[in-house]
Amino acid sequence: MKLPVAPPGWSRWLVPPAALSVHLSIGQAYAWSVFKPALESSLHLSGTQSALPFQLGIVMLGLSAAFGGTLVERNGPRWAMSVSLVCFSLGFLLSALGAGLEQYWLIVFGYGFVGGIGLGIGYISPVSTLIKWFPDRPGMATGIAIMGFGGGALIASPWSAQMLESFGDGNGGLELAFLVHGLVYAVFMSLGVLLVRVPGKDVRAESRGTARSTPTGPQVTANQAIRTPQFWCLWVVLCMNVTAGIGILEKAAPMITDFFQDTSTPVSASAAAGFVALLSAANMAGRIGWSSTSDLIGRKNVYRLYLGAGALMYLLIALWGDSSKPLFVLCALVILSFYGGGFATIPAYLKDLFGTHQVGAIHGRLLTAWSTAGVLGPLIVNRIADSQEDAGKHGQDLYGLSFMIMIGLLVVGFVANELVRPVHHRHHLVPAPRESSDDAAAARDRQQSA
């Protein structure tokens, strides 16, 4: 596919909406929990089984992002967005067929495997293009797209709940809901495919004056980075932080219903869907807010906050979550803001440690931690909840043990973050030049690590 080069006078501010049309669509993955009750009742599934399409989708997201990055760079953003559109929409259409035929494996294959490839290619499709268009503000540009992925459920959650209410939550209702999702997202994502452009030579020449052309600080190749302990420490940090967030996110709607089912104010299905939308808003806000905070206090400090305060939030929910709805909701919102912030901050952490030479490729490989967490988080929460339910327990008791495990994982991530040190010069591609204008957050992190 020929690269869509922007004509002279093309506004670069048309590119972020193109990226958002894709990321807001594929961000629907974070609203999967809205479908879980209907799947479990109509197809007689356990919580663990109904989480499988989401888990496989996140696994395929990480794998396709890690191994598809070279193809995305070679073929350009329009090709990547087109592949994402076809795979993501086809995943919903296959799921609709699976619901109609009562073949759950087809939903797993469609949404999880095929749709998951669309998630991964779509996630990385606009990032390098945005950086080329905004060399003076790359963090802001990529933050817009990543924020869109986090905010996708803000739209999808109430929309999906309303469809299930209108169509019914049986197989027929699920079939129609999946079908509408696939068709609408295909139309919406096509706007991004048609709108996206790469900058022409005149734009690149003009932008060189606004961005430093010579990289500063350590410069490490992707192949060399995975041989360093710093890469694997950050892999553990990201995996633990994502596991803690995704454990709540994937089961958010049934979880808040279970917590308050025996109280005088039980949570309705529509209120549970609203809770999922709130979590999406916190996820989205955390991506902008906490990553911006890391520029002020340093990457290592902000991850101390994510992991340390996240463990405290889980402890508060485990001890007193069912006694106060505001406490439960507030703690869950904070955890999800840390979850989103962790995704937005990790590219800057990688840049501080490994430089800008191949930071995109390094980031893609690190996203395999997301794939691992996509299995680990839902598996812990759902498997333990199912076993506790089989033992006759209900309400908050379904989740107490899994929350304690999450606290332990966050402590592991906290320790891994403390072990991060500057990369030894033997791993550098070239000797690292020293400039007074180097990133202030990186300098603070190096001082903290010394």
Side-chain angles (χ1 to χ4, degrees):
M1 180 179 287
K2 185 178 179 181
L3 293 180
V5 179
W10 181 269
S11 174
R12 65 179 183 171
W13 292 102
L14 293 173
V15 182
L20 277 173
S21 73
V22 173
H23 272 239
L24 282 172
S25 298
I26 63 177
Q28 179 280 334
Y30 285 144
W32 176 255
S33 66
V34 175
F35 293 120
K36 282 173 65 69
L39 281 169
E40 290 167 15
S41 61
S42 62
L43 297 178
H44 310 292
L45 305 173
S46 66
T48 302
Q49 291 172 321
S50 66
L52 189 55
F54 175 81
Q55 288 176 290
L56 182 57
I58 297 300
V59 169
M60 295 308 301
L61 185 158
L63 294 178
S64 57
F67 297 107
T70 303
L71 288 174
V72 171
E73 289 293 332
R74 182 187 305 157
N75 297 316
R78 179 169 289 176
W79 174 88
M81 289 181 178
S82 299
V83 171
S84 177
L85 182 159
V86 171
C87 291
F88 189 65
S89 297
L90 181 60
F92 270 113
L93 298 182
L94 289 172
S95 297
L97 182 62
L101 297 176
E102 298 186 21
Q103 297 294 319
Y104 182 59
W105 69 268
L106 198 51
I107 298 176
V108 175
F109 175 76
Y111 188 92
F113 185 81
V114 179
I117 294 173
L119 289 178
I121 299 299
Y123 189 83
I124 61 176
S125 64
V127 173
S128 64
T129 302
L130 284 165
I131 290 175
K132 292 172 185 174
W133 274 109
F134 293 87
D136 50 333
R137 285 179 279 184
M140 177 214 70
T142 55
I144 290 174
I146 293 174
M147 180 184 70
F149 187 86
L154 194 62
I155 299 169
S157 180
W159 182 46
S160 301
Q162 183 59 51
M163 269 194 281
L164 290 176
E165 186 176 332
S166 300
F167 300 150
D169 57 3
N171 290 331
L174 278 169
E175 180 182 13
L176 283 175
F178 286 145
L179 178 63
V180 171
H181 276 74
L183 296 177
V184 171
Y185 281 133
V187 173
F188 191 60
M189 293 172 75
S190 67
L191 300 177
V193 173
L194 296 174
L195 193 60
V196 73
R197 299 287 189 280
V198 297
K201 292 181 179 178
D202 56 332
V203 175
R204 290 195 292 268
E206 188 178 298
S207 69
R208 277 197 288 268
T210 62
R212 288 186 304 195
S213 58
T214 303
T216 63
Q219 300 299 318
V220 183
T221 65
N223 286 337
Q224 194 64 28
I226 62 173
R227 296 184 175 95
T228 65
Q230 287 84 354
F231 176 89
W232 294 107
C233 282
L234 288 189
W235 193 96
V236 171
V237 166
L238 183 63
C239 185
M240 298 301 99
N241 191 61
V242 173
T243 299
I246 214 167
I248 283 186
L249 192 59
E250 185 275 334
K251 201 175 174 65
M255 182 182 290
I256 193 171
T257 303
D258 289 337
F259 256 75
F260 298 99
Q261 67 180 7
D262 295 329
T263 67
S264 58
T265 54
V267 176
S268 65
S270 59
F275 174 63
V276 175
L278 274 178
L279 292 181
S280 178
N283 182 3
M284 182 171 58
R287 292 170 188 248
I288 294 295
W290 292 123
S291 60
S292 299
T293 302
S294 77
D295 291 330
L296 302 175
I297 68 174
R299 319 300 176 200
K300 178 171 282 191
N301 276 336
V302 84
Y303 271 96
R304 285 168 173 155
L305 179 67
Y306 297 157
L307 300 160
L312 177 61
M313 294 299 105
Y314 260 115
L315 182 62
L316 291 176
I317 293 178
L319 295 178
W320 299 294
D322 63 344
S323 62
S324 171
K325 279 184 188 175
L327 177 66
F328 179 92
V329 172
L330 178 62
C331 290
L333 292 177
V334 172
I335 290 171
L336 263 295
S337 76
F338 291 160
Y339 171 84
F343 279 118
T345 310
I346 204 70
Y349 211 160
L350 290 170
K351 177 256 182 189
D352 294 346
L353 290 169
F354 301 109
T356 58
H357 176 59
Q358 289 189 343
V359 70
I362 298 170
H363 183 213
R365 296 182 186 194
L366 195 76
L367 288 180
T368 54
W370 191 359
S371 296
T372 303
V375 173
L376 195 59
L379 183 64
I380 291 171
V381 174
N382 286 288
R383 182 63 63 85
I384 292 176
D386 288 344
S387 64
Q388 297 291 73
E389 190 172 17
D390 291 341
K393 296 184 179 180
H394 56 87
Q396 184 183 11
D397 293 337
L398 297 176
Y399 304 100
L401 178 57
S402 60
F403 286 177
M404 291 297 113
I405 293 174
M406 294 298 180
I407 292 171
L409 294 177
L410 288 169
V411 171
V412 171
F414 190 94
V415 173
N417 184 52
E418 294 302 306
L419 294 176
V420 173
R421 298 289 185 270
V423 177
H424 194 277
H425 63 81
R426 72 174 180 273
H427 297 292
H428 294 182
L429 181 66
V430 293
R434 303 298 180 195
E435 292 191 10
S436 59
S437 58
D438 278 352
D439 184 80
R444 274 191 294 272
D445 281 344
R446 287 194 291 272
Q447 291 171 2
Q448 293 160 7
S449 301

